[in-house]
Amino acid sequence: MTRSNIIFFISFFAYVIAQAFLKKLVLFNSGFCFLYVAFILLMPIETNNLVLMLLGFIMGFTVDIFYDSLGLHAFTTVFIAYIRNYWLSVITPQGGYDAGAVPKISEQGLQWFLVYTLPLVFIHHLVLFLVESAGTLFWYSMLKTINSMMFTMLVMVLLQYLTSDRART
Amino acid sequence: MERLFKFLYYYRASFTFLLLEFFCAWLIVANNQYQSTKYFNSSNRVVAWLNTSAQNIREYFLLADINATLSRNNAMLLNKIEEQSQRLYRMQLHQRPDSSVEKNFQYIQARVINNSTKFYKNFITIDQGQADGISVGMAVTNSFGAVGKVKSVSKHYAVLISLLNIDNQVSSVLKRTGQFGTIQWDGTDPSYIDLKYIPRHVIPLVGDSVVTSGYNAVFPPGIFIGKIKEFKLRDEALFYDIKIELGQDFGRLNFVEVINAKRKAEKDSLELITIGEPR
């Protein structure tokens, strides 16, 4: 087990516990924070699709146990894990990614990070709310999606600044 | 054969993706059915422990509020007992020993350790389980009205399906007219719930109470649900669209009572013999 693997292992539990406590924090009745998506989104760029999907499944399944919504979060997280690498190859910057690059603000810059995460987080939330309501309530789900997206993105970006500073010193 | 394996290997990511998504979809569908998948929910011990500690912290800050509610309930109940005993005294019924009065409904007190109101499908976890006499299908109320019914139990915890769950339907009655309908949440505002299947000829009024009907024998009859906030009758609609203001704030649920309906099994088996398997 290499050092980075251990870090991923610990961060998995950190995300799960954080998510369990974030369950109560809902803004304006419709803004949720699904921070656990960051676990999949912040994996190194070269991570294999299969590994991502399996990790996404385990993460989603664990979150589902806390949310009493068996299969729901697993479904959406696997979906995000699948399309993540395709999206990464679409938005490859000129000259490509460095070997062992990580999709973080500290390495790729804020603008690139927003282009990378915003659509994925949006799709994740939209799929989540649509599947939960079984396709009914489309516009209310859209409202929830946009509010939750802003909330999740804000927390995700803030956390990036907080943690990357600590890593540098 | 070799080419088949090559094909499978080449598209392994897509196949894994489809496999996992089908598995998840199956889980979602299976979990939607009334009772299933006992172990992977928040009545699991580790999850429940984490939830309990989170709730303990939250409850500490709400203590004053909880105490006020409890003492108000206490006073109300004491008044009721006094009233009843006065009545019984006049009727000379109070000499009957306690044990000769059969209890149709037994109440088990429980504390909410996990709760949500913001999803489409909301569940509540409580800190009493099989060991305390709770089983699947029991109704849960508190002094403000109906809360939900038990979906699954573990040894020391139980998960309730909240009234605020788009899958949960409760048979209910418009108290003033006696008309039966069904309560179902529409998934948007946690302080309102919909009353369905009230036919055109009934004349509801704003402020009418809606209570449980007791038809499905989960809830005892007459448990308060809420008051009519607004209603409208669209042209050519068979039934009214009625919005009901819930009697309680589900976001502040703290203590609940689980109702053990002693005669439910008897009623169910009688119906099973005469009517057949419920659909």
Side-chain angles (χ1 to χ4, degrees):
Chain A
M1 222 183 197
T2 61
R3 187 169 168 270
S4 66
N5 278 352
I6 296 173
I7 290 176
F8 283 128
F9 193 70
I10 294 170
S11 73
F12 176 85
F13 287 102
Y15 276 119
V16 168
I17 292 171
Q19 195 60 50
F21 279 87
L22 280 173
K23 189 186 174 188
K24 276 276 171 173
L25 192 62
V26 183
L27 297 185
F28 310 120
N29 236 339
S30 58
F32 297 80
C33 182
F34 295 119
L35 185 63
Y36 71 93
V37 194
F39 178 71
I40 296 300
L41 294 183
L42 299 185
M43 281 278 164
I45 287 174
E46 287 159 349
T47 315
N48 191 322
N49 241 352
L50 286 170
V51 177
L52 268 182
M53 278 191 286
L54 280 178
L55 285 176
F57 179 75
I58 298 169
M59 178 51 110
F61 194 82
T62 321
V63 171
D64 272 329
I65 294 175
F66 283 93
Y67 276 68
D68 283 316
S69 58
L70 204 60
L72 182 66
H73 289 270
F75 185 91
T76 40
T77 318
V78 169
F79 187 69
I80 284 301
Y82 181 68
I83 62 174
R84 186 198 96 135
N85 279 6
Y86 294 104
W87 180 237
L88 271 176
S89 64
V90 169
I91 57 165
T92 310
Q94 273 181 340
Y97 301 107
D98 299 334
V102 186
K104 287 189 172 168
I105 295 177
S106 50
E107 280 192 25
Q108 313 284 343
L110 179 64
Q111 196 188 348
W112 182 90
F113 186 75
L114 289 180
V115 172
Y116 164 57
T117 46
L118 263 177
L120 290 179
V121 170
F122 179 77
I123 293 172
H124 173 271
H125 289 11
L126 187 64
V127 171
L128 185 82
F129 290 125
L130 283 183
V131 170
E132 193 190 6
S133 67
T136 57
L137 295 162
F138 180 80
W139 290 112
Y140 192 70
S141 297
M142 195 60 105
L143 175 82
K144 272 184 159 181
T145 305
I146 290 169
N147 284 356
S148 311
M149 182 180 72
M150 290 194 281
F151 192 11
T152 308
M153 288 302 300
L154 189 73
V155 175
M156 204 149 88
V157 170
L158 283 181
L159 268 183
Q160 289 270 300
Y161 280 113
L162 286 175
T163 50
S164 63
D165 271 348
R166 207 178 299 152
R168 246 178 255 144
T169 50
Chain B
M1 202 60 193
E2 196 196 333
R3 287 184 61 181
L4 177 69
F5 281 130
K6 265 187 183 159
F7 172 76
L8 286 178
Y9 184 72
Y10 187 73
Y11 290 108
R12 61 192 184 281
S14 307
F15 281 120
T16 320
F17 171 68
L18 288 177
L19 195 80
L20 281 175
E21 290 295 58
F22 272 118
F23 180 64
C24 294
W26 174 78
L27 278 181
I28 294 172
V29 173
N31 195 41
N32 272 345
Q33 281 154 11
Y34 184 57
Q35 36 168 311
S36 55
T37 45
K38 263 189 174 170
Y39 301 104
F40 293 113
N41 58 28
S42 58
S43 69
N44 175 296
R45 186 142 44 99
V46 181
V47 178
W49 173 78
L50 203 69
N51 280 330
T52 316
S53 37
Q55 176 69 18
N56 279 338
I57 297 169
R58 271 193 301 273
E59 224 167 57
Y60 182 77
F61 294 101
L62 293 172
L63 271 179
D65 236 28
I66 296 170
N67 281 342
T69 323
L70 285 180
S71 70
R72 205 170 337 130
N73 288 342
N74 230 358
M76 195 188 73
L77 291 176
L78 282 174
N79 280 337
K80 255 192 193 157
I81 289 175
E82 187 54 33
E83 212 175 277
Q84 294 287 342
S85 64
Q86 290 286 335
R87 233 177 264 166
L88 289 178
Y89 186 75
R90 253 176 254 137
M91 292 164 73
Q92 299 291 316
L93 284 172
H94 63 292
Q95 285 117 339
R96 276 173 79 187
D98 281 357
S99 56
S100 72
V101 183
E102 195 194 1
K103 288 188 194 126
N104 271 345
F105 297 103
Q106 184 200 351
Y107 293 83
I108 305 160
Q109 186 262 331
R111 193 163 68 105
V112 173
I113 58 168
N114 193 12
N115 179 20
S116 67
T117 58
K118 313 288 164 50
F119 304 99
Y120 295 127
K121 294 174 183 174
N122 295 304
F123 296 94
I124 300 165
T125 315
I126 56 172
D127 67 344
Q128 305 277 309
Q130 240 160 9
D132 312 285
I134 290 174
S135 62
V136 172
M138 287 179 180
V140 183
T141 65
N142 66 8
S143 53
F144 298 107
V147 172
K149 54 189 167 191
V150 179
K151 184 173 191 268
S152 55
V153 285
S154 65
K155 196 141 189 266
H156 297 294
Y157 298 97
V159 175
L160 322 175
I161 177 164
S162 166
L163 273 195
L164 300 181
N165 185 313
I166 53 175
D167 290 337
N168 195 4
Q169 300 186 342
V170 176
S171 172
S172 53
V173 57
L174 211 54
K175 205 174 175 187
R176 192 175 53 85
T177 63
Q179 197 70 42
F180 290 96
T182 302
I183 288 287
Q184 194 175 17
W185 192 45
D186 67 347
T188 53
D189 194 332
S191 42
Y192 298 102
I193 199 164
D194 288 344
L195 175 61
K196 296 172 162 181
Y197 313 124
I198 296 293
R200 290 186 78 100
H201 64 83
V202 181
I203 303 162
L205 291 175
V206 172
D208 272 359
S209 292
V210 177
V211 298
T212 55
S213 71
Y215 271 19
N216 52 14
V218 174
F219 284 102
I223 289 197
F224 186 67
I225 291 171
K227 283 178 179 164
I228 293 185
K229 169 84 177 170
E230 59 181 20
F231 60 88
K232 55 176 184 272
L233 186 59
R234 275 174 295 164
D235 295 342
E236 290 161 26
L238 285 172
F239 305 110
Y240 279 98
D241 298 327
I242 304 181
K243 272 251 174 285
I244 287 171
E245 189 171 12
L246 281 166
Q248 65 182 317
D249 184 354
F250 272 76
R252 313 173 66 121
L253 225 49
N254 275 308
F255 290 95
V256 292
E257 283 93 44
V258 184
I259 300 177
N260 182 1
K262 293 263 173 83
R263 291 187 180 161
K264 185 177 191 298
E266 188 184 332
K267 176 180 168 292
D268 282 355
S269 56
L270 178 65
E271 283 182 354
L272 196 69
I273 294 164
T274 40
I275 310 171
E277 204 67 48
R279 270 176 291 273

